[in-house]
């Protein structure tokens, strides 16, 4: 069955029909702002405790934890590149999506929601970040067994429009 790929506006911390959600993490896997702040607030302090032994992580890397107070089974934490600093940034951003999908496949996750990694505080221009996200996920999915649904969750109407147009 071909994997369903969709883009919708919403809050990554409120995706109850997904097995796993992806965190736009920082290297230390601490709460912080943006996506990480929203996920840690909803998951509770156990998520922070579970993350500590896994930190620090490198740009492009992905690690997995339980989801605690979130309505999902797992959180996959990815460190996207900081635009203009971590090079080659397009390759590192693509590696985040590939590594997240690979972890999901290993853990038997069948549905997974991503935010727009690196497109907030890390400064990646939205159109470029969108193209890399959608190209990498659609090229990687055919090699992933068991992943049935992938959703991109965008916080505002403007980024949702860019993702939907690019898709
Ligand atoms: P990064 O540090 O990787 O850039 P951010 O969390 O700052 O990550 O932002 C990544 C993207 O996620 C931005 O487009 C931002 O607007 C969006 N975003 C912020 N909060 C949420 C949320 N609760 N749900 C979904 N997307 C969010």
């Amino acid at each position: 069955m071909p994997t369903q790929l969709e883009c919708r506006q919403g809050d990554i911390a409120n995706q109850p029909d997904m097995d796993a959600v992806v965190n736009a993490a920082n290297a230390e896997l601490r709460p912080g702002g943006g996506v990480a702040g929203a996920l840690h607030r909803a998951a509770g302090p156990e998520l922070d405790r579970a993350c500590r032994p896994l930190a620090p992580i490198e740009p492009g890397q992905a690690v997995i934890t339980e989801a605690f107070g979130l309505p999902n089974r797992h959180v996959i934490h990815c460190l996207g590149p900081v635009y203009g600093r971590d090079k080659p940034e397009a390759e590192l951003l693509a590696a985040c999506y590939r590594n997240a999908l690979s972890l999901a496949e290993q853990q038997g996750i069948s549905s997974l929601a991503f935010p727009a990694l690196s497109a907030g505080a890390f400064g990646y221009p939205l159109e470029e970040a969108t193209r890399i996200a959608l190209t990498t996920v659609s090229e990687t999915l055919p090699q992933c067994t068991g992943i049935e649904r992938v959703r991109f969750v965008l916080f505002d109407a403007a980024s949702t429009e860019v993702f939907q147009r690019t898709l």
Side-chain angles (χ1 to χ4, degrees):
M1 194 178 78
T3 306
Q4 194 185 322
L5 183 59
E6 62 179 21
C7 304
R8 62 162 77 161
Q9 190 173 350
D11 180 353
I12 194 74
N14 184 24
Q15 302 297 318
D17 59 335
M18 294 279 118
D19 282 348
V21 289
V22 176
N23 182 14
N26 46 68
E28 297 302 328
L29 302 175
R30 300 309 306 273
V35 167
L39 289 177
H40 276 271
R41 265 195 306 281
E46 286 164 301
L47 181 61
D48 193 24
R49 280 198 286 278
C51 282
R52 278 188 203 168
L54 305 174
I57 63 168
E58 300 288 322
Q61 199 183 340
V63 295
I64 189 164
T65 63
E66 289 177 51
F68 303 100
L70 285 158
N72 316 98
R73 280 201 294 138
H74 295 286
V75 180
I76 295 177
H77 307 262
C78 290
L79 179 60
V82 173
Y83 193 75
R85 187 189 78 185
D86 300 322
K87 311 253 177 197
E89 50 216 353
E91 192 41 53
L92 291 170
L93 185 56
C96 285
Y97 289 102
R98 280 197 295 270
N99 289 330
L101 290 170
S102 163
L103 271 179
E105 185 186 24
Q106 283 165 36
Q107 297 291 326
I109 287 164
S110 64
S111 55
L112 179 64
F114 283 100
L117 297 170
S118 285
F122 285 2
Y124 221 107
L126 182 65
E127 301 259 351
E128 274 176 73
T130 303
R131 192 175 44 73
I132 293 165
L134 288 170
T135 306
T136 308
V137 170
S138 51
E139 286 177 0
T140 308
L141 272 175
Q143 291 111 57
C144 297
T145 311
I147 302 179
E148 291 167 5
R149 291 162 73 206
V150 173
R151 174 180 298 157
F152 283 92
V153 178
L154 295 318
F155 211 36
D156 54 52
S159 33
T160 309
E161 194 277 320
V162 171
F163 262 79
Q164 278 172 347
R165 174 161 41 80
T166 309
L167 182 65

